[in-house]
Amino acid sequence: MKREKSKTQSILDGFLADFVLTRRSFVKKASAVTGTAFALGGLQPSLRALAASGEVAAGEMGEWIASTCQGCTSWCSKQVYVIDGRAIKVRGNPNSKVNVGEGCPRSHLGLQQVYDPDRIKTPMKRTNPNKGRNEDPKFVPISWDEALNTIADQIMALRKNNETYKYMLMRGRYSYMRDVLYDRMTKIIGSPNNISHSAICAEAEKFGPYYTEGLWDYRQYDVANSRYVLIWGADPLAANRQVSYYSSVWGDTIGRATIAVVEPRLSATAAKADEWLPVKPGHDGAVAAAIAHVILTEGLWYRDFVGDFVDGQNRFVAGQEVNEEDFKEIYTHGLVKWWNLELKDKTVAWAAERSGLPADQIQRVAVEYGKAAPHCISWVGGGPVMQVRGGYASMICHALNGLTGGVDNVGGTQKANKEYTSKFPKPDDFMDDIAKKGKKHGKIDHRGRLEFPALNKGKSGGGVVTNNAADGILNEDPNEIKVAIAYMNNFTFSCGQPERWERALSKIPFLVHITTNASEFSWFSDIMLPDTHHMFEKWGYVKSHGNGYRHVTLMQPLVKPVWDYKIDETEIPWLIAEKLNEKGFSNLLDHYKTYKDPETGKAPTNEKEFALYALKYATQNLWDPAKHKGGDKFNGWEEFLKVGVWNSDP
């Protein structure tokens, strides 16, 4: 569906021309974002999420403190205005070269989340032994001491019976402190079963770039210099990595580039595009094949990157095979073989029949996209790839970047910049014979099996099959799960066929959920532990990239505690380690004590020190001037903490 001017629009354009205002500049000036608020006379809505604490006194002064928003996967660097230990408002951190001081509504909603009266305020224990959708857990509050002792007892029982492989850790969203709980604790206990959400998030999005470009990662998109942006199932103005950045520059992008969005629904980005291609779900790959077919038959491939026929004559003709010896490639491999095996019959008519799109629209988009080479983008989002056989759609959609020379190029797709954070100390020396034996057991999600290779960077079993873990639990294949801990996740809501997860979680005898608010997942837990809010209450860091940079942005506790919560990835595992130590298993606590403060060399003595020292340990190469390797340079930890973000070299 292409935007066409109506008679009324033409008259309006003529009127606007008197003010030197084009349609595109009007869209730019009006807003590049769906959620723009227009100031209407006399209407001034006010946020009263903080009313319970009383009104802020007139003239009372606060300070801006750096933090990070994890409301989506943009992971924007933020600053929070704090008065007397209370968060008042949020803004983008101007020190970030990734989100360049911009923000979106999610970060502002964080103020309502952190002071939500319905948050879990203290550990809770299930008193109804029966589990199921229609079974009331009948939670009652308990102390942290009782909760931690109960968890430690369950883990010790597994170790006593040489059943550590029946322990499971489930992770949803995370900070890069994750391996303290997700990896190190799981290995030292002795289980192979750390299950992340990655397979239901965007692993297939990485699959295509890896098997076409050799890049297992998310890409950056140089929209500032692009002439054509072809988007597959992504919505950068509302729900993609770097929403804040793209929203801030999209007005200029609209004025410079042609934008086409392949998306079944009219998304925020599609609503502002030059072309909306409402494809039938699951048929994106057919459209991509037809676009590649047109680019080749029309001779629009980028020869400086791809290569050309030896005699300069285009032999890509619909339905006809080509001799591989007739084409000399430069930076691509197997183009003619791809044509012969896959593309020669994939005409626009063939794709139109399958995709539900008009043939002339597919043809038009393909030609305009090809003519924009090499300053063009084939933007592969989750839409076409997070479904059955989505890995193939990921490959063919991303392959268009190679065909047009847009890959790793100005105005095209680019890889992430280098950063210099450190991994946590290895757990090997703290894994006893029980742990080593348990770690070798088969994984509950069946990764690495013939039917579930879970390829990651070409390695079978290197990934995860998140949703299949439910079947593994239900079928006790390769074993039953007796003890499980989960955090920042809600698989009974976010996974396909969630009813299986309800039955699977009901089958686990002891389940712990670390969460800020009770969820569908929590309903099946035996203990709920109150978690910190990412932006206001925890030590941590994340790394993200966009706008030609990568940043590492910090989180820190910056408000007075309101309820009795602990940090999921550092404080809680330390406290569990202390209880295990009291019960005769010191390995985990001994391991955590190796995370020493880089400034003083002091080992942590409690969970608060551990959370801080672990963060300083992981980020030392960024803030210690003696270890500087690139990007922003700081004079020490305190300066890094105040600025709140490290930026890479461009």
Side-chain angles (χ1 to χ4, degrees), residues 329-377:
E329 293 181 89
I330 302 176
Y331 295 114
T332 62
H333 177 77
L335 173 64
V336 174
K337 184 174 291 186
W338 187 32
W339 167 266
N340 290 338
L341 292 175
E342 174 65 20
L343 297 179
K344 65 182 176 63
D345 299 317
K346 301 302 192 292
T347 63
V348 292
W350 172 88
E353 180 180 353
R354 285 155 179 78
S355 67
L357 299 174
D360 62 339
Q361 185 181 34
I362 299 174
Q363 176 78 21
R364 179 176 62 248
V365 168
V367 170
E368 292 180 0
Y369 171 74
K371 287 182 177 179
H375 308 299
C376 56
I377 296 170

Short mmCIF file of all heavy atoms in Angstrom, two decimals, residues 329-377:
data_model
loop_
_atom_site.label_atom_id
_atom_site.label_comp_id
_atom_site.label_asym_id
_atom_site.label_seq_id
_atom_site.Cartn_x
_atom_site.Cartn_y
_atom_site.Cartn_z
N GLU A 329 32.88 -13.20 -8.55
CA GLU A 329 32.45 -12.54 -7.33
C GLU A 329 33.61 -11.86 -6.63
O GLU A 329 34.78 -12.23 -6.80
CB GLU A 329 31.80 -13.55 -6.38
CG GLU A 329 30.48 -14.11 -6.91
CD GLU A 329 29.86 -15.10 -5.95
OE1 GLU A 329 29.07 -14.65 -5.08
OE2 GLU A 329 30.15 -16.30 -6.04
N ILE A 330 33.28 -10.83 -5.82
CA ILE A 330 34.30 -10.10 -5.06
C ILE A 330 34.17 -10.42 -3.57
O ILE A 330 34.99 -11.10 -2.99
CB ILE A 330 34.18 -8.58 -5.31
CG1 ILE A 330 34.33 -8.27 -6.81
CG2 ILE A 330 35.25 -7.83 -4.52
CD1 ILE A 330 34.14 -6.80 -7.16
N TYR A 331 33.09 -9.92 -2.93
CA TYR A 331 32.91 -10.13 -1.49
C TYR A 331 31.74 -11.06 -1.16
O TYR A 331 31.38 -11.22 0.00
CB TYR A 331 32.71 -8.80 -0.77
CG TYR A 331 33.92 -7.89 -0.83
CD1 TYR A 331 33.89 -6.69 -1.53
CD2 TYR A 331 35.10 -8.24 -0.19
CE1 TYR A 331 34.99 -5.85 -1.59
CE2 TYR A 331 36.21 -7.42 -0.24
CZ TYR A 331 36.15 -6.23 -0.94
OH TYR A 331 37.25 -5.41 -0.99
N THR A 332 31.14 -11.66 -2.17
CA THR A 332 30.08 -12.63 -1.93
C THR A 332 30.55 -14.00 -2.38
O THR A 332 31.58 -14.14 -3.05
CB THR A 332 28.79 -12.26 -2.70
OG1 THR A 332 29.05 -12.26 -4.10
CG2 THR A 332 28.30 -10.88 -2.28
N HIS A 333 29.78 -15.00 -2.01
CA HIS A 333 30.15 -16.37 -2.38
C HIS A 333 28.89 -17.15 -2.73
O HIS A 333 27.95 -17.21 -1.94
CB HIS A 333 30.88 -17.06 -1.23
CG HIS A 333 31.22 -18.49 -1.51
ND1 HIS A 333 32.27 -18.86 -2.33
CD2 HIS A 333 30.64 -19.65 -1.10
CE1 HIS A 333 32.34 -20.18 -2.40
NE2 HIS A 333 31.36 -20.68 -1.66
N GLY A 334 28.85 -17.74 -3.91
CA GLY A 334 27.75 -18.61 -4.29
C GLY A 334 26.52 -17.92 -4.83
O GLY A 334 25.43 -18.48 -4.81
N LEU A 335 26.69 -16.70 -5.34
CA LEU A 335 25.52 -15.96 -5.84
C LEU A 335 24.82 -16.70 -6.98
O LEU A 335 23.60 -16.84 -6.97
CB LEU A 335 25.94 -14.57 -6.30
CG LEU A 335 24.84 -13.75 -7.00
CD1 LEU A 335 23.71 -13.46 -6.02
CD2 LEU A 335 25.39 -12.44 -7.56
N VAL A 336 25.59 -17.19 -7.95
CA VAL A 336 24.98 -17.87 -9.10
C VAL A 336 24.33 -19.18 -8.66
O VAL A 336 23.24 -19.54 -9.14
CB VAL A 336 26.04 -18.12 -10.20
CG1 VAL A 336 25.45 -18.96 -11.33
CG2 VAL A 336 26.55 -16.79 -10.75
N LYS A 337 24.96 -19.88 -7.74
CA LYS A 337 24.35 -21.12 -7.24
C LYS A 337 23.03 -20.80 -6.54
O LYS A 337 22.05 -21.55 -6.66
CB LYS A 337 25.33 -21.81 -6.28
CG LYS A 337 24.83 -23.16 -5.76
CD LYS A 337 25.89 -23.86 -4.94
CE LYS A 337 27.04 -24.30 -5.84
NZ LYS A 337 28.04 -25.11 -5.09
N TRP A 338 23.00 -19.70 -5.78
CA TRP A 338 21.76 -19.25 -5.12
C TRP A 338 20.69 -18.99 -6.17
O TRP A 338 19.53 -19.39 -6.00
CB TRP A 338 22.07 -18.00 -4.31
CG TRP A 338 20.95 -17.49 -3.45
CD1 TRP A 338 19.99 -18.22 -2.84
CD2 TRP A 338 20.70 -16.13 -3.10
NE1 TRP A 338 19.14 -17.40 -2.13
CE2 TRP A 338 19.56 -16.12 -2.27
CE3 TRP A 338 21.33 -14.93 -3.40
CZ2 TRP A 338 19.04 -14.93 -1.75
CZ3 TRP A 338 20.80 -13.76 -2.87
CH2 TRP A 338 19.68 -13.76 -2.07
N TRP A 339 21.06 -18.33 -7.23
CA TRP A 339 20.12 -18.06 -8.32
C TRP A 339 19.58 -19.36 -8.91
O TRP A 339 18.37 -19.53 -9.06
CB TRP A 339 20.79 -17.22 -9.41
CG TRP A 339 20.00 -17.16 -10.69
CD1 TRP A 339 20.15 -17.97 -11.78
CD2 TRP A 339 18.91 -16.28 -11.01
NE1 TRP A 339 19.24 -17.64 -12.76
CE2 TRP A 339 18.47 -16.61 -12.32
CE3 TRP A 339 18.30 -15.24 -10.32
CZ2 TRP A 339 17.43 -15.93 -12.93
CZ3 TRP A 339 17.24 -14.57 -10.94
CH2 TRP A 339 16.83 -14.91 -12.23
N ASN A 340 20.48 -20.29 -9.23
CA ASN A 340 20.06 -21.53 -9.89
C ASN A 340 19.19 -22.40 -8.99
O ASN A 340 18.21 -23.00 -9.46
CB ASN A 340 21.30 -22.33 -10.33
CG ASN A 340 22.04 -21.67 -11.47
OD1 ASN A 340 21.48 -20.86 -12.22
ND2 ASN A 340 23.32 -21.98 -11.62
N LEU A 341 19.52 -22.47 -7.71
CA LEU A 341 18.80 -23.35 -6.80
C LEU A 341 17.52 -22.74 -6.25
O LEU A 341 16.54 -23.45 -5.98
CB LEU A 341 19.70 -23.75 -5.64
CG LEU A 341 20.89 -24.65 -5.96
CD1 LEU A 341 21.75 -24.85 -4.71
CD2 LEU A 341 20.43 -26.01 -6.49
N GLU A 342 17.51 -21.42 -6.08
CA GLU A 342 16.43 -20.81 -5.32
C GLU A 342 15.70 -19.68 -6.04
O GLU A 342 14.47 -19.60 -5.99
CB GLU A 342 16.99 -20.28 -3.99
CG GLU A 342 16.01 -19.47 -3.13
CD GLU A 342 14.84 -20.29 -2.64
OE1 GLU A 342 14.95 -21.53 -2.62
OE2 GLU A 342 13.80 -19.69 -2.28
N LEU A 343 16.41 -18.79 -6.72
CA LEU A 343 15.81 -17.52 -7.12
C LEU A 343 15.26 -17.46 -8.54
O LEU A 343 14.42 -16.60 -8.83
CB LEU A 343 16.85 -16.39 -6.96
CG LEU A 343 17.35 -16.13 -5.54
CD1 LEU A 343 18.39 -15.01 -5.56
CD2 LEU A 343 16.22 -15.78 -4.60
N LYS A 344 15.73 -18.31 -9.44
CA LYS A 344 15.41 -18.11 -10.86
C LYS A 344 13.91 -18.15 -11.16
O LYS A 344 13.43 -17.50 -12.10
CB LYS A 344 16.14 -19.14 -11.72
CG LYS A 344 15.75 -20.58 -11.52
CD LYS A 344 16.59 -21.49 -12.42
CE LYS A 344 16.28 -22.95 -12.17
NZ LYS A 344 14.88 -23.32 -12.50
N ASP A 345 13.16 -18.88 -10.34
CA ASP A 345 11.71 -18.98 -10.58
C ASP A 345 10.88 -18.16 -9.60
O ASP A 345 9.65 -18.18 -9.65
CB ASP A 345 11.28 -20.45 -10.48
CG ASP A 345 11.96 -21.32 -11.52
OD1 ASP A 345 12.05 -20.88 -12.68
OD2 ASP A 345 12.41 -22.43 -11.16
N LYS A 346 11.54 -17.43 -8.72
CA LYS A 346 10.82 -16.69 -7.67
C LYS A 346 10.47 -15.28 -8.17
O LYS A 346 10.99 -14.28 -7.72
CB LYS A 346 11.66 -16.62 -6.39
CG LYS A 346 12.02 -17.98 -5.81
CD LYS A 346 10.79 -18.80 -5.51
CE LYS A 346 11.08 -20.05 -4.68
NZ LYS A 346 11.86 -21.07 -5.39
N THR A 347 9.54 -15.23 -9.11
CA THR A 347 9.12 -13.97 -9.71
C THR A 347 8.19 -13.20 -8.77
O THR A 347 7.70 -13.75 -7.77
CB THR A 347 8.38 -14.24 -11.02
OG1 THR A 347 7.20 -14.99 -10.72
CG2 THR A 347 9.26 -15.03 -11.99
N VAL A 348 7.93 -11.96 -9.12
CA VAL A 348 7.00 -11.18 -8.30
C VAL A 348 5.60 -11.77 -8.35
O VAL A 348 4.85 -11.71 -7.36
CB VAL A 348 6.99 -9.69 -8.73
CG1 VAL A 348 8.31 -9.03 -8.42
CG2 VAL A 348 6.65 -9.54 -10.20
N ALA A 349 5.22 -12.36 -9.48
CA ALA A 349 3.91 -13.00 -9.57
C ALA A 349 3.82 -14.19 -8.61
O ALA A 349 2.80 -14.40 -7.95
CB ALA A 349 3.65 -13.46 -11.00
N TRP A 350 4.89 -14.97 -8.56
CA TRP A 350 4.95 -16.10 -7.63
C TRP A 350 4.82 -15.62 -6.19
O TRP A 350 4.07 -16.19 -5.40
CB TRP A 350 6.29 -16.84 -7.84
CG TRP A 350 6.57 -17.90 -6.83
CD1 TRP A 350 6.20 -19.22 -6.89
CD2 TRP A 350 7.30 -17.75 -5.60
NE1 TRP A 350 6.65 -19.89 -5.78
CE2 TRP A 350 7.33 -19.02 -4.97
CE3 TRP A 350 7.93 -16.68 -4.98
CZ2 TRP A 350 7.96 -19.23 -3.75
CZ3 TRP A 350 8.57 -16.89 -3.76
CH2 TRP A 350 8.58 -18.15 -3.16
N ALA A 351 5.52 -14.56 -5.83
CA ALA A 351 5.48 -14.04 -4.47
C ALA A 351 4.14 -13.39 -4.15
O ALA A 351 3.63 -13.50 -3.03
CB ALA A 351 6.61 -13.05 -4.25
N ALA A 352 3.57 -12.71 -5.13
CA ALA A 352 2.29 -12.03 -4.91
C ALA A 352 1.20 -13.03 -4.56
O ALA A 352 0.36 -12.79 -3.68
CB ALA A 352 1.90 -11.24 -6.15
N GLU A 353 1.20 -14.17 -5.23
CA GLU A 353 0.18 -15.19 -4.99
C GLU A 353 0.27 -15.72 -3.56
O GLU A 353 -0.75 -16.01 -2.94
CB GLU A 353 0.36 -16.34 -5.99
CG GLU A 353 -0.65 -17.45 -5.83
CD GLU A 353 -0.45 -18.57 -6.83
OE1 GLU A 353 0.41 -18.42 -7.73
OE2 GLU A 353 -1.13 -19.61 -6.71
N ARG A 354 1.48 -15.83 -3.04
CA ARG A 354 1.66 -16.40 -1.71
C ARG A 354 1.54 -15.37 -0.60
O ARG A 354 1.05 -15.66 0.48
CB ARG A 354 3.04 -17.08 -1.64
CG ARG A 354 3.06 -18.40 -2.37
CD ARG A 354 4.45 -18.79 -2.83
NE ARG A 354 4.41 -20.09 -3.51
CZ ARG A 354 3.98 -20.24 -4.76
NH1 ARG A 354 3.59 -19.19 -5.47
NH2 ARG A 354 3.96 -21.45 -5.30
N SER A 355 1.99 -14.17 -0.87
CA SER A 355 2.08 -13.16 0.19
C SER A 355 0.84 -12.30 0.33
O SER A 355 0.66 -11.62 1.35
CB SER A 355 3.27 -12.24 -0.08
OG SER A 355 3.06 -11.47 -1.25
N GLY A 356 -0.01 -12.29 -0.71
CA GLY A 356 -1.18 -11.43 -0.68
C GLY A 356 -0.89 -9.99 -1.05
O GLY A 356 -1.77 -9.13 -0.94
N LEU A 357 0.34 -9.70 -1.49
CA LEU A 357 0.72 -8.34 -1.88
C LEU A 357 0.58 -8.17 -3.39
O LEU A 357 0.77 -9.12 -4.15
CB LEU A 357 2.17 -8.05 -1.47
CG LEU A 357 2.48 -8.11 0.02
CD1 LEU A 357 3.98 -7.94 0.25
CD2 LEU A 357 1.69 -7.04 0.78
N PRO A 358 0.29 -6.96 -3.84
CA PRO A 358 0.22 -6.71 -5.28
C PRO A 358 1.59 -6.90 -5.94
O PRO A 358 2.61 -6.46 -5.40
CB PRO A 358 -0.24 -5.25 -5.39
CG PRO A 358 -0.81 -4.93 -4.04
CD PRO A 358 -0.06 -5.76 -3.06
N ALA A 359 1.60 -7.53 -7.10
CA ALA A 359 2.86 -7.77 -7.80
C ALA A 359 3.56 -6.46 -8.14
O ALA A 359 4.79 -6.36 -8.06
CB ALA A 359 2.60 -8.58 -9.07
N ASP A 360 2.78 -5.43 -8.51
CA ASP A 360 3.43 -4.17 -8.90
C ASP A 360 4.09 -3.49 -7.70
O ASP A 360 5.10 -2.80 -7.85
CB ASP A 360 2.42 -3.23 -9.57
CG ASP A 360 1.27 -2.84 -8.66
OD1 ASP A 360 1.01 -3.56 -7.68
OD2 ASP A 360 0.63 -1.80 -8.92
N GLN A 361 3.55 -3.71 -6.50
CA GLN A 361 4.18 -3.12 -5.33
C GLN A 361 5.51 -3.81 -5.02
O GLN A 361 6.51 -3.15 -4.72
CB GLN A 361 3.27 -3.20 -4.10
CG GLN A 361 3.86 -2.49 -2.89
CD GLN A 361 2.98 -2.58 -1.65
OE1 GLN A 361 2.31 -3.58 -1.44
NE2 GLN A 361 2.97 -1.53 -0.85
N ILE A 362 5.52 -5.14 -5.08
CA ILE A 362 6.77 -5.87 -4.85
C ILE A 362 7.82 -5.43 -5.87
O ILE A 362 8.98 -5.20 -5.51
CB ILE A 362 6.53 -7.39 -4.94
CG1 ILE A 362 5.52 -7.84 -3.88
CG2 ILE A 362 7.85 -8.14 -4.77
CD1 ILE A 362 5.12 -9.30 -4.00
N GLN A 363 7.42 -5.30 -7.13
CA GLN A 363 8.33 -4.88 -8.19
C GLN A 363 8.87 -3.47 -7.91
O GLN A 363 10.08 -3.23 -8.01
CB GLN A 363 7.61 -4.89 -9.54
CG GLN A 363 8.41 -4.38 -10.73
CD GLN A 363 9.40 -5.38 -11.24
OE1 GLN A 363 9.26 -6.58 -10.99
NE2 GLN A 363 10.41 -4.92 -11.97
N ARG A 364 7.99 -2.57 -7.54
CA ARG A 364 8.39 -1.18 -7.29
C ARG A 364 9.37 -1.08 -6.13
O ARG A 364 10.41 -0.40 -6.21
CB ARG A 364 7.15 -0.33 -7.01
CG ARG A 364 7.45 1.14 -6.73
CD ARG A 364 6.17 1.95 -6.57
NE ARG A 364 5.35 1.52 -5.46
CZ ARG A 364 4.16 0.93 -5.60
NH1 ARG A 364 3.66 0.70 -6.79
NH2 ARG A 364 3.47 0.56 -4.53
N VAL A 365 9.05 -1.77 -5.03
CA VAL A 365 9.93 -1.73 -3.86
C VAL A 365 11.29 -2.32 -4.20
O VAL A 365 12.34 -1.78 -3.81
CB VAL A 365 9.28 -2.48 -2.68
CG1 VAL A 365 10.27 -2.71 -1.56
CG2 VAL A 365 8.07 -1.70 -2.17
N ALA A 366 11.29 -3.43 -4.92
CA ALA A 366 12.56 -4.08 -5.28
C ALA A 366 13.43 -3.16 -6.12
O ALA A 366 14.65 -3.04 -5.87
CB ALA A 366 12.28 -5.38 -6.03
N VAL A 367 12.85 -2.50 -7.09
CA VAL A 367 13.62 -1.62 -7.98
C VAL A 367 14.15 -0.41 -7.22
O VAL A 367 15.32 -0.05 -7.33
CB VAL A 367 12.76 -1.19 -9.19
CG1 VAL A 367 13.46 -0.08 -9.98
CG2 VAL A 367 12.48 -2.38 -10.10
N GLU A 368 13.29 0.22 -6.42
CA GLU A 368 13.73 1.41 -5.69
C GLU A 368 14.77 1.06 -4.64
O GLU A 368 15.73 1.82 -4.42
CB GLU A 368 12.51 2.09 -5.04
CG GLU A 368 11.55 2.70 -6.07
CD GLU A 368 10.35 3.37 -5.41
OE1 GLU A 368 10.27 3.36 -4.16
OE2 GLU A 368 9.50 3.90 -6.14
N TYR A 369 14.60 -0.08 -3.99
CA TYR A 369 15.59 -0.53 -3.01
C TYR A 369 16.92 -0.79 -3.71
O TYR A 369 17.99 -0.36 -3.23
CB TYR A 369 15.09 -1.78 -2.31
CG TYR A 369 16.11 -2.47 -1.43
CD1 TYR A 369 16.49 -1.94 -0.21
CD2 TYR A 369 16.69 -3.67 -1.84
CE1 TYR A 369 17.44 -2.58 0.60
CE2 TYR A 369 17.63 -4.32 -1.05
CZ TYR A 369 18.00 -3.77 0.17
OH TYR A 369 18.94 -4.39 0.95
N GLY A 370 16.89 -1.48 -4.84
CA GLY A 370 18.12 -1.79 -5.57
C GLY A 370 18.82 -0.55 -6.08
O GLY A 370 20.06 -0.46 -6.04
N LYS A 371 18.07 0.44 -6.54
CA LYS A 371 18.67 1.66 -7.05
C LYS A 371 19.33 2.49 -5.95
O LYS A 371 20.20 3.32 -6.24
CB LYS A 371 17.60 2.51 -7.75
CG LYS A 371 17.17 1.95 -9.11
CD LYS A 371 16.15 2.87 -9.78
CE LYS A 371 15.79 2.35 -11.17
NZ LYS A 371 14.78 3.23 -11.83
N ALA A 372 18.94 2.27 -4.70
CA ALA A 372 19.53 3.02 -3.59
C ALA A 372 20.86 2.43 -3.14
O ALA A 372 21.54 3.00 -2.28
CB ALA A 372 18.56 3.05 -2.41
N ALA A 373 21.24 1.28 -3.69
CA ALA A 373 22.49 0.63 -3.27
C ALA A 373 23.69 1.55 -3.49
O ALA A 373 23.71 2.32 -4.46
CB ALA A 373 22.69 -0.66 -4.08
N PRO A 374 24.68 1.52 -2.59
CA PRO A 374 24.83 0.64 -1.42
C PRO A 374 24.35 1.29 -0.12
O PRO A 374 24.57 0.72 0.94
CB PRO A 374 26.34 0.43 -1.37
CG PRO A 374 26.88 1.77 -1.77
CD PRO A 374 25.93 2.28 -2.82
N HIS A 375 23.70 2.44 -0.22
CA HIS A 375 23.25 3.14 0.99
C HIS A 375 21.81 2.76 1.30
O HIS A 375 20.90 3.60 1.26
CB HIS A 375 23.41 4.65 0.81
CG HIS A 375 24.79 5.04 0.37
ND1 HIS A 375 25.91 4.79 1.12
CD2 HIS A 375 25.22 5.65 -0.77
CE1 HIS A 375 26.98 5.23 0.48
NE2 HIS A 375 26.59 5.74 -0.66
N CYS A 376 21.63 1.49 1.57
CA CYS A 376 20.28 0.98 1.80
C CYS A 376 20.33 -0.11 2.87
O CYS A 376 21.37 -0.70 3.12
CB CYS A 376 19.67 0.45 0.51
SG CYS A 376 20.65 -0.81 -0.31
N ILE A 377 19.19 -0.35 3.48
CA ILE A 377 19.10 -1.25 4.63
C ILE A 377 17.98 -2.26 4.42
O ILE A 377 16.86 -1.89 4.07
CB ILE A 377 18.80 -0.45 5.92
CG1 ILE A 377 19.95 0.50 6.26
CG2 ILE A 377 18.52 -1.39 7.09
CD1 ILE A 377 19.61 1.48 7.38
#
